[in-house]
Amino acid sequence: FHHWVMSTLGQQLSWSIQFVLTTIVLAWPGRRFFVTGVPALLKRTPDMNSLVFLGATAAWGFSTVALFLPQLLPAGAQAVYFEAAAVIVTLILLGRYLEARAKGRTGAAIAKLMGLRATSARVERDGAIIELPLEKIETGDIIYLRPGEKIATDGIVVEGQSYVDESMI
């Protein structure tokens, strides 16, 4: 009898701690799933937030009934799934964080690559070679390149030969 009482009290305490911690996870970092998921469900346009809301709420709700009103459940069905609710929310939020971080890094890399492009080119106009910004280059212009210069635009080699570093491409 003493062992049964201690294991039951230990289980009750464990479930109560899980209830408190999971409720905090759902109420604070997980609230965004409720705020955006519920309206989407009500409009009959469910999205990922709605699915997370449903999964987390189902696990938390069933577990809460098993903890506080176990007599409502069939014998042997008193189990809790608080950790599932917390894990669903935590993993989705972690995934979104990692995705945002990767997008940020990609954006920074693209911006850095854009900084490597040429901003002007030497163009032949009216028999003279002049420096023009990219916006002023027109189809049919002849662009003059020096060795190692950045190529400002696509084109056809009219005269000469060289090596082009295509590593950026």
Side-chain angles (χ1 to χ4, degrees):
F1 174 77
H2 176 34
H3 181 265
W4 177 83
V5 170
M6 288 307 290
S7 67
T8 303
L9 287 177
Q11 182 182 50
Q12 193 76 10
L13 178 62
S14 171
W15 287 2
S16 298
I17 291 169
Q18 290 179 45
F19 167 77
V20 169
L21 294 175
T22 301
T23 302
I24 291 169
V25 168
L26 294 179
W28 183 44
R31 73 185 174 280
R32 70 183 67 194
F33 299 112
F34 295 84
V35 171
T36 57
V38 172
L41 275 175
L42 295 176
K43 290 184 214 169
R44 297 181 185 219
T45 57
D47 59 3
M48 181 66 160
N49 296 311
S50 305
L51 294 174
V52 174
F53 160 75
L54 287 173
T57 303
W60 182 86
F62 181 86
S63 300
T64 301
V65 169
L67 175 61
F68 295 111
L69 300 168
Q71 66 275 13
L72 295 179
L73 299 175
Q78 290 91 5
V80 297
Y81 303 97
F82 289 121
E83 78 285 350
V87 167
I88 289 169
V89 169
T90 303
L91 288 180
I92 296 295
L93 290 175
L94 176 64
R96 287 183 179 176
Y97 166 76
L98 293 174
E99 180 183 14
R101 198 173 91 179
K103 282 182 182 177
R105 286 183 179 170
T106 302
I110 289 172
K112 192 173 180 181
L113 283 175
M114 293 301 287
L116 295 176
R117 70 187 174 116
T119 56
S120 63
R122 294 182 321 122
V123 178
E124 182 180 326
R125 289 268 172 93
D126 301 323
I129 299 173
I130 58 172
E131 187 89 16
L132 286 179
L134 289 181
E135 306 83 50
K136 302 242 179 177
I137 296 174
E138 299 172 358
T139 303
D141 281 343
I142 296 177
I143 299 173
Y144 287 80
L145 294 172
R146 296 180 196 124
E149 251 185 342
K150 296 174 187 167
I151 301 173
T153 183
D154 289 341
I156 299 170
V157 176
V158 177
E159 184 180 322
Q161 63 183 30
S162 186
Y163 168 77
V164 176
D165 180 5
E166 296 178 351
S167 61
M168 188 178 91
I169 298 171

